[in-house]
Amino acid sequence: MPVGKNRATAVRRFLAVAAVLLFPLPMADQIDPAAGAARAAAGPHAHRALDLALLRGVAWTAGMKWGTQILSWASTLIVARLLTPADYGLFGMAMVFQGFLAPIYDLGLSAAVIQRRDLTDEQIARLGGLILLYGVAFSILTVLLAGPIAAFYREPAVRWILYVVAAASAIDTLQTVPRAL
């Protein structure tokens, strides 16, 4: 999953929680006295349970973000240690192009699957096919541009790295819809 998307989701969640805390809505018993009586009958623990569930959700989300970031740093350090500086630089050259494609790789279709929970199986299958088509098209674009990119850097090895990145990206698109579900 792209980092920008995760960051945007985290920002939206933070803003939603901040809005609730800063601008609370009127209590239900202020609008409808019967709702206030129902809440009083449920007891003071019902509101506290919701608060605890929210805090647990925020804690799990933050923990997963930190864990993902730590694993990302660790894997980068391991790869940097295993590769020679020249090889690491070649991979970095290839990943510059991939970094431009990554945000638009599925054109937001995985977000559509996540947001629209009422999609039928046929619609999900069509979106999956469209995502696969986009993934293959972007992989072909990467293969076609591998030569010019390698020529730009004056490093022929970048071409072969981009071929591998294109194949891996095409395979990765097969996971887009199952991850979104």
Side-chain angles (χ1 to χ4, degrees):
M1 191 174 290
V3 174
K5 181 178 175 187
N6 289 341
R7 192 170 290 139
T9 302
V11 168
R12 279 196 301 269
R13 287 182 184 161
F14 172 77
L15 291 176
V17 170
V20 169
L21 294 175
L22 295 174
F23 307 107
L25 296 173
M27 298 300 287
D29 55 348
Q30 293 172 339
I31 298 171
D32 181 12
R39 191 175 71 226
H45 301 292
H47 186 64
R48 186 172 293 151
L50 181 61
D51 289 344
L52 288 175
L54 175 67
L55 287 175
R56 279 191 204 111
V58 169
W60 272 105
T61 301
M64 292 304 292
K65 297 286 183 193
W66 275 98
T68 301
Q69 191 64 43
I70 289 170
L71 285 175
S72 175
W73 288 337
S75 65
T76 300
L77 290 174
I78 290 169
V79 169
R81 187 81 175 128
L82 293 175
L83 296 175
T84 65
D87 291 339
Y88 194 74
L90 290 172
F91 187 74
M93 290 176 194
M95 294 313 292
V96 168
F97 176 73
Q98 189 65 16
F100 286 123
L101 279 186
I104 59 168
Y105 214 73
D106 72 350
L107 299 174
L109 294 175
S110 61
V113 173
I114 292 170
Q115 291 173 356
R116 299 290 310 263
R117 290 309 205 184
D118 58 342
L119 294 174
T120 65
D121 289 342
E122 181 183 346
Q123 291 170 326
I124 291 172
R126 287 183 183 196
L127 282 173
L130 190 58
I131 290 170
L132 182 61
L133 182 67
Y134 285 147
V136 169
F138 283 127
S139 294
I140 291 170
L141 178 67
T142 302
V143 167
L144 292 175
L145 292 177
I149 292 169
F152 173 78
Y153 286 117
R154 296 186 187 115
E155 286 289 344
V158 172
R159 171 184 289 192
W160 298 102
I161 295 170
L162 282 170
Y163 289 162
V164 172
V165 168
S169 297
I171 292 169
D172 189 49
T173 59
L174 295 173
Q175 301 175 17
T176 303
V177 171
R179 271 188 275 165
L181 293 174

